[in-house]
């Protein structure tokens, strides 16, 4: 949209270094506070929505940053999956990757706040923590085999879809959980 192009020009200015452009755009999108948002399939232009709404969730922030990077000639890709911890926290989450020569594809997670330490402040532009697993490398992709009924989510496939011959089972009709276990025995066996 014109608003996205204007925002990009205002943020990037005369910068030509791809990393510095990415850094400026990352910081600009990071200023948009995280908040629960409308279902993605109800939005005509998710990036524009995230820019204008004044808040966005992790996927919407990521799609906005991807759009801005691409407007500046920097390739960007989507990832989504689960973030978890050593404790009780686990949650669905979206983040992305951007392509920087000569490094290749590097991670970015604009949703996780800056760390407040000058040496670590931009960690999530080029680095990721170990507490995540990627389930998806793209968005709005078709299923194989194709679904026979309407999808629950047409954009952000984090938790999968369930259907039966009688129709789609929407998210309020089933539950999911994610459990990860590290076994010392499995580590020993795989290292032999």
């Amino acid at each position: 949209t014109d608003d996205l192009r204007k925002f990009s020009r205002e943020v990037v200015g005369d910068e030509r270094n791809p990393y510095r452009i990415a850094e400026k755009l990352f910081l600009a999108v990071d200023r948009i506070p995280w908040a629960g948002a409308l279902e993605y399939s109800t939005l005509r232009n998710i990036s524009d929505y995230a820019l204008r709404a004044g808040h966005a969730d992790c996927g919407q922030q990521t799609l906005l940053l991807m759009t801005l990077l691409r407007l500046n000639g920097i390739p960007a890709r989507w990832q989504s999956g689960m973030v978890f911890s050593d404790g009780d926290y686990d949650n669905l989450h979206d983040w992305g990757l951007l392509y920087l020569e000569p490094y290749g594809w590097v991670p970015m997670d604009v949703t996780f706040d800056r760390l407040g330490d000058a040496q670590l402040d931009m960690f999530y532009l080029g680095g990721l923590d170990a507490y995540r697993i990627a389930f998806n490398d793209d968005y709005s992709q078709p299923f194989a085999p194709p679904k026979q009924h309407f999808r629950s989510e047409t954009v952000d496939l984090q938790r999968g879809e369930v259907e039966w011959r009688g129709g789609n089972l929407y998210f309020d009709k089933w539950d999911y959980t994610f459990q990860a276990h590290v076994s010392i025995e499995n580590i020993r066996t795989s290292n032999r």
Side-chain angles (χ1 to χ4, degrees):
T1 65
D2 291 339
D3 288 342
L4 287 165
R5 286 182 177 84
K6 179 181 176 202
F7 182 77
S8 176
R9 284 190 304 272
E10 290 171 356
V11 171
V12 172
D14 295 331
E15 185 60 62
R16 296 289 170 247
N17 178 301
Y19 178 79
R20 297 289 175 226
I21 291 170
E23 185 177 46
K24 285 182 167 198
L25 293 171
F26 184 93
L27 292 171
V29 174
D30 184 55
R31 286 191 285 275
I32 297 171
W34 184 95
L38 297 173
E39 286 293 332
Y40 293 15
S41 59
T42 67
L43 301 172
R44 185 165 186 220
N45 184 323
I46 295 171
S47 300
D48 188 60
Y49 169 82
L51 179 66
R52 292 183 299 108
H55 61 84
D57 71 9
C58 56
Q60 294 163 349
Q61 288 175 317
T62 298
L63 288 168
L64 173 57
L65 181 55
M66 287 172 57
T67 299
L68 295 168
L69 289 165
R70 289 173 176 179
L71 279 173
N72 287 277
I74 300 171
R77 293 186 351 208
W78 171 273
Q79 276 196 329
S80 68
M82 180 80 66
V83 293
F84 55 95
S85 70
D86 292 333
D88 293 332
Y89 180 79
D90 63 7
N91 202 357
L92 302 170
H93 189 53
D94 305 315
W95 61 94
L97 301 133
L98 70 147
Y99 192 86
L100 291 172
E101 287 287 345
Y103 309 106
W105 290 101
V106 297
M108 61 180 185
D109 190 342
V110 71
T111 305
F112 281 40
D113 289 330
R114 295 169 61 195
L115 299 174
D117 178 327
Q119 293 181 337
L120 297 175
D121 218 19
M122 295 300 294
F123 174 79
Y124 286 104
L125 179 62
L128 285 181
D129 54 71
Y131 295 102
R132 63 185 73 217
I133 183 169
F135 296 143
N136 305 297
D137 282 326
D138 208 343
Y139 55 92
S140 296
Q141 294 300 301
F143 289 106
K147 280 194 74 169
Q148 301 302 306
H149 303 282
F150 288 113
R151 289 175 63 163
S152 296
E153 172 57 74
T154 60
V155 179
D156 186 12
L157 179 66
Q158 293 173 310
R159 66 189 112 179
E161 299 263 343
V162 179
E163 69 180 353
W164 68 296
R165 68 178 166 261
N168 186 59
L169 292 177
Y170 290 95
F171 296 138
D172 64 339
K173 302 295 182 204
W174 59 281
D175 201 3
Y176 65 93
T177 187
F178 178 79
Q179 294 180 351
H181 301 281
V182 176
S183 168
I184 298 300
E185 186 57 38
N186 288 342
I187 293 171
R188 287 185 190 132
T189 302
S190 67
N191 288 331
R192 288 185 186 161

